Amino acid sequence: MKPERLIIGMTGASGAIYGVRLLEILKILGVETHLVMSPSAEITLGLETGMKAKDLEKIASVVHPVKNIAACLSSGSYPTGGMIIAPCSIKSMSEIATGVTSNLLTRAADVTLKQRRKLVLMVRETPLHTGHLETMAKVSSYGAIIFPPVPAFYTKPESLEDMVNQTLARVLDLFGFETPDLIRWRDGG
Ligand SMILES: Cc1cc2nc3c(=O)[nH]c(=O)nc-3n(C[C@H](O)[C@H](O)[C@H](O)COP(=O)(O)O)c2cc1C
């Protein structure tokens, strides 16, 4: 079943474009999106794309202040089809792994896990130390899907946009969405 409502988290990891493009694609697909951005995400968004958080208000259906812990997303009684954090920092992943959940973004992720809904973390960092890897294994054992935004080259991308779109198509494939950008590997290419 394709979700009608998704939570999109954006953190201060590099790759703000993944969050922006994801919101654009979901808008085209008619999915209701609830965006939560960390303060660091606003910084990387500006540095990497020149956009401001306000610009995303035109793309997302609802934008929740990250400090508003009383937002609907804080409760498991609010139905959603899951959450994608694009991109996901090591810091936010670590908060989710420990259940600290000091803001709405990590609280919403914790709720997504406890309600046994789909949580996809597009974790971006390199290289990784053993602590990062162990934290990934931990959240994965709780049910989260670790989806580092690693481009595929068998799709023969011609631009950065191709790479971003293909990666997001694979993420959305996990939720049952068949997008035009999804290139599936067939025998022999
Ligand atoms: C330009 C820039 C790029 C960054 N890239 C990454 C990254 O790829 N991965 C990461 O885990 N943190 C990265 N950081 C650091 C995070 O922004 C920082 O750890 C922050 O505290 C994350 O907080 P948040 O998870 O609440 O957004 C970057 C910071 C800046 C300014």
Side-chain angles (χ1 to χ4, degrees):
M1 264 262 284
K2 292 175 198 160
E4 291 172 7
R5 177 185 293 139
L6 280 175
I7 308 169
I8 306 301
M10 288 176 69
T11 73
S14 186
I17 189 65
Y18 288 106
V20 176
R21 188 73 193 113
L22 185 60
L23 288 168
E24 288 172 346
I25 296 170
L26 288 169
K27 189 172 183 173
I28 294 165
L29 292 172
V31 178
E32 184 183 308
T33 50
H34 287 247
L35 173 66
V36 193
M37 286 181 90
S38 72
S40 307
E42 296 194 24
I43 295 172
T44 46
L45 178 73
L47 288 172
E48 295 183 343
T49 70
M51 294 176 85
K52 292 191 172 29
K54 241 188 157 4
D55 298 326
L56 301 186
E57 285 175 13
K58 295 173 208 141
I59 319 174
S61 314
V62 185
V63 181
H64 297 274
V66 74
K67 286 190 181 159
N68 184 14
I69 211 70
C72 54
L73 309 182
S74 251
S75 173
S77 63
Y78 188 71
T80 75
M83 178 170 185
I84 304 167
I85 305 188
C88 183
S89 69
I90 295 293
K91 181 202 152 196
S92 286
M93 174 183 68
S94 305
E95 273 205 28
I96 297 162
T98 55
V100 169
T101 65
S102 66
N103 60 40
L104 181 63
L105 191 150
T106 48
R107 167 65 187 167
D110 197 54
V111 167
T112 303
L113 284 180
K114 83 181 175 75
Q115 296 302 126
R116 306 297 193 266
R117 296 171 186 154
K118 201 166 275 181
L119 175 67
V120 176
L121 306 181
M122 296 184 72
V123 184
R124 214 245 49 123
E125 188 49 277
T126 197
L128 299 162
H129 63 61
T130 309
H132 298 149
L133 296 166
E134 284 178 355
T135 306
M136 285 184 192
K138 201 168 166 186
V139 282
S140 174
S141 74
Y142 300 159
I145 297 173
I146 302 291
F147 196 123
V150 180
F153 293 90
Y154 59 81
T155 58
K156 302 193 174 62
E158 289 176 3
S159 64
L160 205 56
E161 202 187 339
D162 281 355
M163 286 180 168
V164 170
N165 287 345
Q166 167 66 9
T167 298
L168 292 174
R170 289 293 300 274
V171 169
L172 291 169
D173 193 28
L174 294 170
F175 289 86
F177 292 108
E178 185 91 18
T179 56
D181 291 305
L182 181 63
I183 301 168
R184 294 186 192 278
W185 175 255
R186 316 246 179 242
D187 279 2

